[in-house]
Amino acid sequence: MKVHHLNCISTCPLGGHLMDGRTRGVFTRAALACHCLLVESGDRLVLVDTGLGLHDVAHPRDRLSAFFLGLLSPDLRTEMTAARQVLALGHAPADVTDIVLTHLDFDHAGGLDDFPNATVHLRAIEQEAAARQRTWLDRQRFRPQQWGSRGRWLTYDDARTDSWMGFDAVSGLRGLPPEILMVHLPGHTHGHAGVAIRRDHDWLLLAGDAYFDAREMHPRPCCTPGLRLYQWMMEKDRRSRLGSRDRLRELALREQQLTLFCSHDPVQFEALAGRRLGDPVLPR
């Protein structure tokens, strides 16, 4: 089991230091990660989330909402897409066998169409809720223009779940090794999930957008005011989101053999990847 950490196009929201806690000033744009993983496991090549994709870079106004383009101003560089970073690691995009999604927000699922042979794993409730497009914000965040892969989606019914590290809603993934699990973490979206990966001596858990600031997992939690506001704006179920966040904090403080990280914290990404946020993975 070999795991590569990829930043698949940073978002650069308004608010500077109030968002990421490290950009100087508040009238500049911050820089947040879009933390994805590439997992090499036997004959399977698995992506966890895709970030924004090649089509998003080429045609942003056709695929992304004007609202989020203005608010987040993504750093739309081709070399930062998952497809190009997979190539840099010595694989063709067609070699990717599976994609496991934390959720269907545009900045997590934009690269689905770049991997033509991949089975896409997600929770059934996430597919259903995103497709309904019930609110104005749903129509901005869930972009059917990015879902040309729908014929390859494999969904998981919440009625059939296992347990893991005290979480009693966890899905094993069909066709994938038991070392890769989908941990249900609702709240940010109705079908939001984390993805747990077992290595030789520890577990990784990408918690997606269950929280945004790594310090939310500390014994004395805190979060930048900008991210606190953004999480409130984007949540679908506040009680569930806070419950998922708090259970993750309990897990992080209890389990020594667990590396827990979220999708958008730039400091956490750089520590795990060993390179700067704006640098693509180096070619093999």
Side-chain angles (χ1 to χ4, degrees), residues 10 14 16 39 50 75 77 89 144 160 164 170 178 196 200-201 203 218 230 240 249 254 281:
S10 293
L14 296 166
V39 183
T50 69
D75 181 22
R77 290 187 286 143
L89 288 167
R160 301 181 62 187
W164 173 81
V170 177
D200 288 342
H201 304 294
W203 284 89
H218 292 182
Y230 190 76
S240 294
R249 183 187 303 120
R254 182 180 76 239
V281 69

Side-chain angles (χ1 to χ4, degrees), residues 19 22 37 69 91 108 173 188 205 235 257:
M19 294 295 292
R22 64 179 191 170
L37 302 174
L69 279 173
H91 306 286
H108 293 256
L173 301 171
H188 178 71
L205 176 57
E235 67 190 18
Q257 293 185 321

